[in-house]
Every structure is written in C-alpha cells, then in structure tokens.
Amino acid sequence: MARRTKIYEGKAKILYEGPEPGTIVQYFKDDATAFNAEKKDVIEGKGVLNNLLSEYFMKGLNQIGVPTHFMKRLNMREQLVRQVEIVPLEVIVRNYAAGTMSKRLGIEEGTQLPRPIVEYCYKDDKLGDPLVTEEHIAAFGWASQQDMEDILSLALRVNDFISGVMFGVGIKLVDFKIEIGRIYDGDFQRLIVADEISPDSCRLWDIETGQKLDKDVFRRDLGSLTDAYTEVAKRLGVMPKTSTPITKPTLIN
Ligand code: 5GP
C-alpha cells in the first residue's frame, strides 16, 4: 500500500496530502492536551467523536452559506478538507464569561456578556497563543483590514448558528475558538472556516444543570471526556441515542 505524505502533525490532528491537488486528509487523534500541552492523555474515542461532531457543524455551516474547508467525511477518523493557508490567529467568540476571560477580568464564570465578544490570539505555541489586538494584527501584517471585517462576520455567523443548534438540544454555547483559512480562486482570495469545531474547541454547558460537556472536563478533571462528548453527539443525533460510549472495536477505521 502506498504511504501517504504527512504534511503536519499537531496536538489533536494529523494532516496528510489529499487525493487531488488542493485537498487535505484531516485525521483526528485520541490525544488530549491542555495548558499548552503541559497536561496530556490519550482518550479513547475522542478522535472519532470530534470527527463526527466537526463534520456535523461544518456541514451545517456550509448548508447555510458560511464557507468552510469541509468537503466530506472519509471514515470514522478522517475527513477530506480544502487546503488553506491558515491565518495565524485563534478567533474566540464568547457569549458568557469563562476561562481566561474570567481570570483576566475577574468576571464570574457563567456571567452572560452584554453581547458576543470576539477576541484574537496569535497562534504560537511557544508563546502560549497570546491575546492580541487588531493593532498588532494590522501592524505585523497577519491579516488586512478587509480580512478582519470578513473574519468578524464569519465568527459571528458561526456563533449564531452553533448557539442556535446547541440551544435546540438544551446546551449553552459559552464560547468557542475557530481558525480561518485563506483560499485562492484565480486572482481572488477568500476566507473560510477551517480546522475543526468540536467540544475540544467550544465550551458547552447543559442549560438545566450547568454540567460541562466540553474539554474543560479534561482540563479540570471533572469525569469522563468521552461520556461528555458522547452526550453532545447523541443529543445532536450524530450518534444513536441508544449507543454506548465509543470503545476500541468501533475504531477499526
Ligand atoms: P480560553 O481563552 O477561555 O482558554 O478559551 C476560550 C475558548 O476557546 C474555549 O472554548 C477554548 O476551548 C477555546 N480555545 C482557546 N484556545 C484554544 C486552543 O489552543 N485549542 C483549542 N482546541 N481550543 C482553544
């Protein structure tokens, strides 16, 4: 069997050269990391769940006209995506205070914000993805003024869509992070949603109980991460309601 060309290996995913020029195979690993990889573990089934959930969100976004890199799911751990040039920013949208915003500004976790707040972090693991302003972004040429308008519009549309979908299944979208990719169509360039959208990159709280159904379960040792992600997948109909949490035999693909 021909060996695939690995393009990049990150903390939670591996990217391989795709079958056609301009395509990439995105493989979801079971590795979980937090606090800039200071905390690490392998959580059986996490990759499968994130592959299915990211497919669900990205497909939904494509269907409502928010462009994403997602093309199709290939198997339980892999999806075919468009090759993009990643804008070196983590775009964070917050609806409720939590995490670093609560720490930084002393706002109690769970406090509803007056409106969605968008933050930008410079993607650099060695620096711990520092928060930056639009001044830094413009001055260092990471994105143009037009890009920033497009990124803000994409981020808010993703927020509206995912907030609505999650609300429909009794889950509050507290905050999330997306990454943006640049694609070229002839002389034109466009920005699209890239990377992944999953409970690894969102904060999801049960509306009734406040139970955390996202990566904070791992970051804060709150129980089983696969149980939490499986609950999200079941509520969205991505996994049958009767299925048990994913275990090894499911992972053949
Ligand atoms: P915070 O800044 O509070 O740590 O994170 C805000 C939101 O962005 C959370 O939903 C968190 O999961 C997500 N986020 C921030 N940085 C990263 C990152 O480096 N990787 C992932 N997967 N999510 C992140």
Side-chain angles (χ1 to χ4, degrees):
M1 214 202 297
R3 211 180 159 79
R4 290 191 293 188
T5 309
K6 193 194 275 188
I7 296 175
Y8 173 79
E9 177 155 4
K11 285 174 278 190
K13 293 186 294 294
I14 305 174
L15 303 182
Y16 296 98
E17 219 167 63
E20 308 289 340
T23 65
I24 296 273
V25 174
Q26 182 165 258
Y27 175 97
F28 288 77
K29 303 198 282 187
D30 279 344
D31 300 24
T33 62
F35 313 118
N36 207 8
E38 275 170 37
K39 184 177 164 94
K40 282 188 210 170
D41 206 348
V42 176
I43 314 266
E44 203 175 282
K46 181 176 89 80
V48 172
L49 285 156
N50 281 349
N51 186 26
L52 295 173
L53 285 163
S54 199
E55 172 193 17
Y56 179 86
F57 293 126
M58 295 279 187
K59 234 184 193 169
L61 286 165
N62 284 343
Q63 279 163 357
I64 63 159
V66 179
T68 82
H69 72 162
F70 180 82
M71 297 170 76
K72 68 172 180 182
R73 185 164 62 78
L74 298 171
N75 56 50
M76 292 305 274
R77 283 190 178 275
E78 295 177 329
Q79 46 185 249
L80 188 68
V81 299
R82 288 190 71 163
Q83 184 166 29
V84 299
E85 202 178 277
I86 286 284
V87 175
L89 297 173
E90 295 198 331
V91 181
I92 294 172
V93 183
R94 301 179 186 271
N95 298 306
Y96 298 84
T100 57
M101 173 184 250
S102 289
K103 275 208 196 86
R104 207 181 317 117
L105 302 179
I107 306 174
E108 196 185 337
E109 285 211 316
T111 307
Q112 187 162 21
L113 300 172
R115 61 181 177 85
I117 295 179
V118 182
E119 293 175 349
Y120 305 100
C121 294
Y122 179 54
K123 255 175 78 66
D124 186 319
D125 283 342
K126 286 197 288 301
L127 300 174
D129 301 334
L131 186 69
V132 291
T133 67
E134 291 192 46
E135 277 288 285
H136 297 104
I137 297 167
F140 296 123
W142 297 325
S144 68
Q145 193 55 48
Q146 179 62 54
D147 290 341
M148 291 313 289
E149 282 171 29
D150 295 347
I151 290 172
L152 181 63
S153 152
L154 283 172
L156 293 176
R157 290 173 78 193
V158 172
N159 186 43
D160 282 347
F161 175 70
I162 301 193
S163 292
V165 167
M166 297 316 295
F167 181 74
V169 296
I171 294 173
K172 195 190 266 187
L173 177 64
V174 173
D175 58 30
F176 65 92
K177 180 262 309 183
I178 51 171
E179 297 191 17
I180 301 293
R182 200 183 295 284
I183 54 170
Y184 297 91
D185 286 328
D187 287 346
F188 296 94
Q189 54 139 331
R190 242 162 23 101
L191 296 178
I192 64 177
V193 179
D195 191 50
E196 73 176 284
I197 301 178
S198 74
D200 263 13
S201 52
C202 302
R203 283 199 173 90
L204 304 169
W205 297 357
D206 181 86
I207 289 175
E208 293 290 320
T209 64
Q211 187 193 354
K212 293 183 182 12
L213 298 169
D214 56 62
K215 201 163 133 187
D216 276 349
V217 171
F218 169 73
R219 293 188 188 104
R220 302 180 188 188
D221 294 319
L222 300 175
S224 159
L225 194 73
T226 29
D227 284 357
Y229 288 20
T230 301
E231 176 64 22
V232 176
K234 280 185 182 176
R235 289 202 202 178
L236 291 170
V238 167
M239 272 175 71
K241 294 239 178 332
T242 49
S243 56
T244 47
I246 287 172
T247 49
K248 261 220 166 80
T250 328
L251 307 180
I252 313 156
N253 274 317

